[in-house]
């Protein structure tokens, strides 16, 4: 069905436009302004051109943070996607179990992000945390405040615990949308469980899984509060991701210029990813929504 | 309202006026002769607005690459970006 | 997979999901001295002292009230402005519609850290630091686009003939929208409100930066008190447990519609 052409629809969008423009455009303009100046205080600033960009692009700590970020996001996807699909396949299809499962799954998603950090901080401490205690009593020294590897393991555990439910919910929604006829056909053909998965369920879930993949990638790319509470970016800089480093620069050291230049580069990366996301979503929508 | 906190400079003001002007121009152009979705050298079907966005975003990357990889003045990158923007709009 | 094996796998996974939360609950029912002296799987000597402290000390419970206030404000603002806009996107074609839609999406994905500093400056200039409305407005950055996005999905599922019929019957657009259309997408509005609530509730970076004392969210109070009084694990755990409660209550109300919100892939 065709949409109606009507430019007066702009008036309906106007309130949203004003609110979001106020929250998005003014701050972004300010960031751009900051990025080309050296600011000492109110009213005391000099124009430095692309100096901060040059400095930021050559900053080794930032390169490290960027690679760390990609590694983290990659690992997160590698674990969460298969696990999420597996759990979704095991979910009950009807009965009281459905409501129960959905509510349980959504629970971690509704916990404030810093509380997530706190939960895992308590849970993995060697002295009072169940996880830390068990690992240490097995004779493995585990301390996420001292060893970078342990910090990464703890962060990954937390991230998988926190966000796999989102993948499950998406995959489950995709599974529920498959008409029962397909399964009956598969049954008549005597298809194995694997064949049913490979040739019916997986192709039908392609849309939602793509969405899950991109959402998880974007969100893990922007992660801040949980590692901030759990490790504070340490030990050393071993878990300093992009957002943590940026907040350190902007609020901790109040280096407005470099922080702004960094912000713009960060934003441009996200913008490109976002564009890809949007294109994929448009095409998924075309294929599946009638 | 006091705008000192936004720390405006002539260069950035000019930059935003240029971007804003282009957006308004694109809007008017769209109003006068609506765009038709088509396929150029870019791998996806695009409208004029899409190509404009892609052109701007890639121009930003060109500028970043210019600053990061060369030591020449950024002003030399500006004509390259304008040419690139026109190419994307026309043939993309 | 055999049904039996499935159930075991699922039960095991849910067990793991609950374990960290259970551990925090366990901590919250014990005193700090008890926690530090011995590790037990369940509170041997359960006490509500931590919860009593939170509910009687204004500097603690005001954090919950603050969080609730700005979350409610944000959800209201987001829904009010997003409803007409989503209708426009789902029904009309106008100059720049696709571009605006995409631009809204970019704000949902934008790194909060990038906006932190200008937001602080902006709201300082407006004299709104440490007010609930500042946090509610800041959260609009990602919640308004989100609301438009989810609502548009639900609205596109309603056939346009309904609108046409109503207009022929002499309904004006506002009257049709309020008396006919909104009741039709009730579920969608519920799901949208749920997601607005969720993202405003869990966000802390803006909420912490834009507040000092009067509008400080509970999440920030938790971390601040840790550094001030040494580490009172029991108290911290109790505060954490209480932040989960509102979320759990809200999920219960939308549990049947939630899956659809996720299915649209617009979270």
């Amino acid at each position: 069905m065709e949409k109606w052409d009507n430019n007066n629809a702009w008036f309906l969008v106007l309130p949203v436009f004003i609110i979001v423009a106020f929250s998005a455009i003014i701050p972004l303009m300010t960031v751009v302004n900051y990025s080309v100046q050296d600011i000492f205080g109110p009213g005391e600033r000099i124009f430095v051109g692309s100096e901060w960009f040059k400095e930021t692009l050559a900053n080794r700590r930032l390169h490290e943070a960027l690679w760390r970020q990609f590694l983290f996001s990659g690992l997160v996807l590698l674990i969460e996607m298969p696990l999420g699909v597996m759990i979704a396949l095991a979910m009950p299809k009807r009965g009281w179990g459905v409501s129960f499962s959905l509510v349980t799954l959504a629970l971690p998603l509704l916990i404030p992000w810093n509380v997530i950090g706190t939960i895992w901080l308590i849970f993995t401490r060697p002295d009072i945390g169940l996880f830390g205690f068990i690992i240490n009593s097995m004779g493995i020294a585990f301390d996420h405040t001292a060893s970078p590897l342990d910090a990464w393991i703890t962060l990954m555990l937390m991230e998988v615990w926190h966000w796999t439910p989102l993948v499950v919910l998406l995959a489950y929604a995709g599974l529920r949308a498959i008409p029962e006829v397909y399964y009956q056909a598969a049954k008549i053909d005597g298809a194995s469980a694997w064949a049913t998965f490979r040739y019916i369920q997986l192709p039908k879930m392609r849309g939602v899984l793509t969405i899950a993949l991109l959402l998880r990638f974007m969100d893990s790319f922007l992660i801040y509060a949980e590692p901030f509470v759990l490790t504070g970016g340490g030990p050393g800089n071993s878990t300093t991701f992009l957002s943590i480093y940026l907040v350190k620069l902007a609020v901790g050291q109040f280096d407005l210029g470099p922080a702004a230049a960094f912000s713009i580069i960060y934003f441009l990366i996200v913008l490109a990813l976002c564009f890809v996301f949007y294109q994929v979503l448009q095409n998924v929508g075309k294929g599946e929504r009638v | 309202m006091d705008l000192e906190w936004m720390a405006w400079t002539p260069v950035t003001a000019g930059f935003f006026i240029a971007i804003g002007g282009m957006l308004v121009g694109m809007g008017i152009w769209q109003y006068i002769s609506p765009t038709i979705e088509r396929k150029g050298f870019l791998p996806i079907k695009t409208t004029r607005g899409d190509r404009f966005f892609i052109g701007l975003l890639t121009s930003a990357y060109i500028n970043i690459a210019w600053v990061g990889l060369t030591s020449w003045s950024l002003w030399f990158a500006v004509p390259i970006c304008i040419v690139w923007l026109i190419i994307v709009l026309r043939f993309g | 997979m055999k049904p039996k094996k499935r159930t075991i796998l699922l039960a095991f996974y849910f067990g793991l999901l609950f374990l960290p939360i259970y551990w925090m609950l366990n901590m919250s029912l014990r005193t700090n001295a008890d926690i530090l002296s011995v590790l037990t799987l369940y509170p041997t000597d359960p006490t509500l002292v931590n919860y009593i402290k939170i509910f009687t000390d204004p500097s603690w419970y005001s954090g919950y009230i603050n969080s609730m206030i700005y979350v409610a404000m944000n959800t209201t603002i987001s829904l009010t402005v997003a409803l007409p806009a989503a209708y426009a996107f789902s029904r009309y074609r106008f100059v720049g519609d696709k571009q605006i839609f995409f631009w809204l999406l970019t704000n949902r994905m934008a790194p909060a850290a990038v906006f932190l500093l200008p937001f602080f400056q902006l709201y300082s200039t407006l004299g709104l630091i440490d007010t609930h409305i500042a946090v509610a407005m800041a959260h609009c950055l990602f919640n308004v686009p989100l609301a438009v996005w989810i609502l548009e999905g639900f609205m596109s599922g309603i056939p346009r003939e309904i609108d046409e019929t109503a207009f022929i019957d002499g309904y004006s657009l506002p009257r049709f929208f309020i008396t006919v259309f909104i009741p039709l997408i009730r579920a969608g509005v519920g799901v949208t409100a749920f997601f607005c609530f969720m993202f405003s509730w869990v966000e802390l970076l803006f909420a912490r930066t834009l507040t000092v004392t009067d509008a400080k969210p509970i999440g920030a109070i938790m971390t601040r008190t840790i550094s001030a009084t040494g580490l009172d694990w029991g108290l911290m755990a109790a505060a954490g447990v209480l932040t989960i409660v509102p979320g759990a209550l809200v999920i219960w109300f939308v549990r049947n519609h939630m899956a659809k919100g996720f299915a649209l892939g617009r979270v």
Side-chain angles (χ1 to χ4, degrees), chain A residues 7 33-34 37 45 54 268, chain B residues 5-9 12 61:
Chain A
N7 278 322
N33 289 342
Y34 287 172
Q37 299 179 75
R45 52 202 166 85
K54 209 173 255 325
L268 284 174
Chain B
W5 68 275
M6 285 183 80
W8 283 103
T9 68
T12 52
Y61 279 104

Side-chain angles (χ1 to χ4, degrees), chain A residues 60-270:
Chain A
R60 221 168 42 91
R61 286 188 57 195
L62 194 124
H63 295 171
E64 286 167 9
L66 184 67
W67 290 124
R68 212 175 278 137
Q69 186 75 66
F70 274 113
L71 179 65
F72 180 74
S73 295
L75 282 174
V76 161
L77 289 179
L78 224 55
I79 300 172
E80 286 182 8
M81 294 300 291
L83 185 66
V85 172
M86 221 161 78
I87 305 289
L89 286 171
M91 291 258 291
K93 292 199 172 54
R94 56 188 72 81
W96 64 272
V98 177
S99 286
F100 172 79
S101 305
L102 287 179
V103 172
T104 310
L105 282 169
L107 203 56
L109 301 176
L110 274 154
I111 302 174
W113 291 337
N114 67 314
V115 177
I116 300 268
T118 311
I119 289 177
W120 281 85
L121 189 66
I122 295 176
F123 193 59
T124 53
R125 273 183 68 99
D127 53 347
I128 62 168
L130 184 63
F131 180 79
F133 182 80
I134 291 174
I135 296 288
N136 277 298
S137 60
M138 288 192 319
I140 306 161
F142 184 90
D143 187 359
H144 64 72
T145 56
S147 147
L149 181 67
D150 294 354
W152 268 77
I153 292 173
T154 314
L155 272 182
M156 291 306 299
L157 274 175
M158 176 180 71
E159 179 71 14
V160 168
W161 178 84
H162 186 186
W163 286 109
T164 306
L166 181 74
V167 181
V168 178
L169 286 170
L170 280 165
Y172 182 69
L175 278 176
R176 299 301 294 142
I178 302 175
E180 196 59 33
V181 208
Y182 283 85
Y183 293 114
Q184 283 160 5
K187 214 172 195 173
I188 291 165
D189 290 347
S192 65
W194 169 250
T196 314
F197 173 70
R198 175 67 189 79
Y199 295 105
I200 297 176
Q201 291 170 321
L202 198 59
K204 282 280 167 190
M205 279 197 290
R206 223 194 64 194
V208 279
L209 287 183
T210 315
I211 291 163
L213 189 90
L214 288 163
L215 273 179
R216 283 310 308 129
F217 184 78
M218 297 294 296
D219 284 341
S220 62
F221 205 75
L222 309 178
I223 190 166
Y224 173 77
E226 303 96 315
F228 176 75
V229 172
L230 192 59
T231 64
N237 284 317
S238 60
T239 55
T240 301
F241 299 113
L242 287 177
S243 278
I244 294 185
Y245 188 48
L246 178 53
V247 175
K248 253 185 208 168
L249 267 184
V251 182
Q253 307 173 8
F254 226 68
D255 282 339
L256 297 186
F262 180 5
S263 294
I264 289 170
I265 295 169
Y266 194 6
F267 192 69
L268 284 174
I269 297 175
V270 171

Side-chain angles (χ1 to χ4, degrees), chain A residues 7 25-30 32-34 36-37 39 41-45 47 50 53-54 57 264-265 268-273 275 279 283 286, chain B residues 3-13 15-16 31 37 44-46 50 53-54 57 60-61 63-72 74:
Chain A
N7 278 322
I25 294 181
I26 294 177
L28 269 186
M29 283 177 161
T30 312
V32 172
N33 289 342
Y34 287 172
V36 294
Q37 299 179 75
I39 298 171
E44 286 175 71
R45 52 202 166 85
F47 186 79
S50 59
F53 285 93
K54 209 173 255 325
L57 288 167
I264 289 170
I265 295 169
L268 284 174
I269 297 175
V270 171
L271 207 56
L273 290 170
F275 186 69
Q279 291 301 330
N283 293 330
K286 263 176 212 149
Chain B
L3 282 180
E4 172 54 34
W5 68 275
M6 285 183 80
W8 283 103
T9 68
V11 177
T12 52
F15 172 73
F16 282 115
Y31 189 75
E37 209 173 36
I44 46 169
K45 276 183 123 181
T46 52
D50 296 338
F53 173 77
I54 294 170
L57 188 61
Y61 279 104
N63 274 304
I64 296 281
W66 192 273
V67 173
L69 302 176
T70 69
S71 50
W72 298 312
L74 195 56

Side-chain angles (χ1 to χ4, degrees), chain C:
Chain C
M1 261 188 291
K2 295 222 179 67
K4 198 69 174 275
K5 249 160 82 185
R6 272 182 188 202
T7 320
I8 293 170
L9 176 78
L10 206 60
F12 181 67
Y13 176 71
F14 284 165
L16 289 183
L17 215 54
F18 272 123
L19 203 56
I21 301 179
Y22 166 75
W23 198 251
M24 189 164 73
L25 187 67
N26 176 11
M27 293 281 146
S28 74
L29 293 171
R30 299 164 63 186
T31 62
N32 205 36
D34 184 23
I35 291 169
L36 291 174
S37 65
V38 60
L39 188 114
T40 55
L41 288 179
Y42 56 90
T44 42
D45 183 20
T47 165
L48 286 175
V49 66
N50 295 317
Y51 290 97
I52 290 166
K53 171 140 173 56
I54 289 173
F55 280 118
T56 49
D57 183 348
S59 71
W60 273 102
Y61 69 73
S62 67
Y64 287 99
I65 298 170
N66 291 334
S67 295
M68 303 269 192
I69 292 174
Y70 72 70
V71 169
M73 277 171 142
N74 172 270
T75 309
T76 316
I77 299 174
S78 301
L79 275 179
T80 320
V81 298
L83 274 167
Y87 183 77
F89 282 119
S90 83
R91 294 308 197 238
Y92 299 110
R93 216 174 19 222
F94 47 94
V95 171
D97 51 354
K98 283 197 191 124
Q99 281 71 29
I100 299 280
F101 205 58
F102 171 68
W103 170 66
L104 287 176
L105 171 67
T106 62
N107 290 310
R108 155 71 180 84
M109 304 280 185
V114 167
F115 290 92
L116 197 60
L117 195 62
F119 267 14
F120 184 75
Q121 308 274 31
L122 173 63
Y123 288 108
S124 304
T125 313
L126 295 174
L128 287 176
I129 288 290
D130 207 18
T131 58
H132 302 106
I133 190 74
V135 183
M137 282 297 294
H139 285 179
C140 280
L141 174 69
F142 46 83
N143 266 354
V144 168
L146 181 80
V148 172
W149 220 28
I150 300 178
L151 283 172
E152 198 269 343
F154 276 95
M155 287 179 182
S156 297
I158 308 275
R160 240 157 289 180
E161 281 81 10
I162 292 182
D163 309 34
E164 279 163 356
T165 321
F167 295 143
I168 291 165
D169 289 349
Y171 277 85
S172 67
L173 179 60
R175 182 156 160 250
F176 160 73
F177 194 71
I178 292 166
T179 59
V180 181
F181 199 70
I182 289 184
L184 274 178
I185 53 155
R186 263 197 325 270
V189 176
V191 170
T192 312
F194 165 74
F195 281 114
C196 287
F197 169 91
M198 166 172 157
F199 282 102
S200 184
W201 182 256
V202 298
E203 204 282 339
L204 189 81
L205 192 52
F206 286 150
R208 193 187 61 191
T209 312
L210 296 178
T211 54
V212 187
T213 48
D214 291 344
K216 202 100 188 148
I218 182 61
I221 288 175
M222 259 172 83
T223 31
R224 194 185 47 184
T225 313
I226 293 164
S227 50
T229 59
L231 291 166
D232 190 340
W233 295 105
L235 196 59
M236 190 162 108
V241 169
L242 288 175
T243 63
I244 303 179
V245 176
L249 286 177
V250 175
I251 309 177
W252 187 253
F253 287 112
V254 294
R255 65 188 184 285
N256 293 323
H257 303 295
M258 197 170 53
K260 181 154 188 231
F262 282 112
L264 290 167
R266 300 190 164 207
V267 183

